[in-house]
Amino acid sequence: MSVLAATDETPRVFLSYRRADTQPSALLLYRELTARFGEGQICMDIFAIPGGGDWFEYIERTLGKSALVLALIGPNWLTATDDRGRRLDDPDDVLRQELGLALKREVRVIPLLVQGAEMPKAGDLPDDLRGIVDRFPVRIGAVSLDADVADLAGMVGKILDELRADGARGLADEGEFERARATAQPIANDQLREEVLAYIDGLDRPQVVPGQSASLRECLDGAGLKYHDFEEAFVIPFGGQRADQVLAFARELADGTTFLSVELDAYTGKKKNKVQLYQRLLNLSFVNYVKALALAEGRFALAAEVPPGALTPEICDGLIRGLVALGDIKDQDELASEESWQMRIQFCKFAQQAAFSVDAEQARADVGALLEAAGASPLPGGLYTFDLELGEGPRPLSLYADAGVVSLITPWPARPGGDLNKLTQLLELNRAVNVAKVGLDSSGEVRMLYEVPGPVPDLAARLKEQLTILVYGLILRL
């Protein structure tokens, strides 16, 4: 924990100087710094110690509340003497005591070289002061006085902001949220203040247990995602290479499915390139949780759907960031580029893998057990058969599992090739189902998929219902 967080919410600046050497410079700095930061934050002995006060008590008390020491070093700082000899060699010397105590407590110390002074060498200092030579000095020159003092004030302001931010985060980590906000409010840097307040707000929410399913709002909060709450959906803005930002939409459907999406602009290029684009969009069904939907007027959405009772903050975060990586396409050339899609697919997979994982073998075994309990028949090689409606009878179902998802895949005897109308109909079918999706594998064959992070309520019934809808659509359209 920082010195600031451990002692006081208000960081103070302690001026260390020797009166016979640098008092005029110390008075100048005190005047300039108090004008900018207030008297309560700048500590100088002649304005703080009452008559008859104890010097060492003042040093102990004030350094205990200080987060920064400005050590003024003038031309006689190293060589000043009294009737006992060189003053720095005297363990009772006030300046040696205050700087030694600051270095011992690891308070931040900035040496200020004034009146043409140079930094002392370590060999010329007593052991308890040698640490000062490791601090980068700041020079205050007579000719450049105004500019140097202004630069110093800017540096002090930045340091105080950083210390306030550190203290506010420390208080928030300890659950002191109101004190943390009060500590953050005086931060002068607007961006830093907002970042710290967002950090505090992220902790001051009902915490969701990692890996535990929760509502969409709880998952957005738990993932620390910033969003706008509208009547029908949450909108999550991300910075991207598009003109302004990429917008991800998140909402819960009537059956409890969580629907996340990023929209793409319509493609107006050549028909040959459009066929390739549609094929690539259907290939996306083999990226975990992702599918492409055909919207009105030739537009598309990249979507991810999670079954009821399966959403966690980790999954929510990974899916939204993955969709944004896929959908951050700035123009028609990128939309049609195979290289662009491959790069974005890798970004998407990375975002997912960095955010969540499952025990693949255990999840696969658990999902298989759910299917068997619902009447599916196991076959050698990890296959199952189950009955679909519409007279289709038993169909094979393969289970695959990796670090983020269990995929249930069943084939459909069709290969749309370069038929743009059929490719469009497949993309339209993806709008008709929740969680289930239809896509093209690497050989161009149609496959139906249903992906889950593990066992979910009513898995077998939902799987059968959604794949039956796909089968019906495929029969009619292909």
Side-chain angles (χ1 to χ4, degrees), residues 45-46 52 88 91 95 97 99 137 161 180 186 191 194 248 276 294 326 331 346 358-359 374 383 428 450 463:
D45 55 1
I46 61 173
L88 284 183
L95 184 143
Q97 286 186 346
L99 283 182
D161 274 356
Q191 180 178 348
E194 292 305 313
Q276 294 175 339
L326 283 173
D331 54 34
Q346 292 305 313
V358 298
D359 183 334
L383 295 176
E428 290 172 346
Y450 197 95
L463 172 68

Side-chain angles (χ1 to χ4, degrees), residues 90-226:
D90 182 0
D92 294 328
D93 179 59
V94 173
L95 184 143
R96 176 175 170 177
Q97 286 186 346
E98 62 192 22
L99 283 182
L101 188 59
L103 293 169
K104 180 179 179 181
R105 291 183 175 178
E106 298 183 349
V107 180
R108 188 164 183 170
V109 177
I110 298 178
L112 298 184
L113 304 181
V114 299
Q115 301 170 32
E118 299 295 332
M119 276 294 288
K121 294 180 173 57
D124 294 329
L125 297 172
D127 291 345
D128 54 346
L129 296 189
R130 287 180 180 175
I132 199 170
V133 302
D134 299 325
R135 272 61 174 177
F136 191 79
V138 173
R139 186 175 297 278
I140 307 293
V143 176
S144 56
L145 179 64
D146 290 342
D148 290 346
V149 171
D151 289 345
L152 174 65
M155 180 188 303
V156 170
K158 183 177 180 181
I159 292 171
L160 292 180
D161 274 356
E162 291 171 351
L163 292 169
R164 287 190 185 98
D166 184 34
R169 292 190 189 100
L171 289 166
D173 289 340
E174 296 169 2
E176 297 282 350
F177 299 117
E178 292 310 312
R179 288 177 63 197
R181 289 188 181 90
T183 300
Q185 285 299 338
I187 294 175
N189 184 294
D190 293 339
Q191 180 178 348
L192 179 60
R193 182 175 64 253
E194 292 305 313
E195 289 175 359
V196 174
L197 290 173
Y199 178 85
I200 297 168
D201 290 341
L203 294 179
D204 189 16
R205 294 188 181 116
Q207 296 300 299
V208 179
V209 178
Q212 179 176 302
S213 62
S215 70
L216 176 58
R217 180 186 295 276
E218 290 173 330
C219 287
L220 291 171
D221 285 341
L225 294 167
K226 294 183 178 180

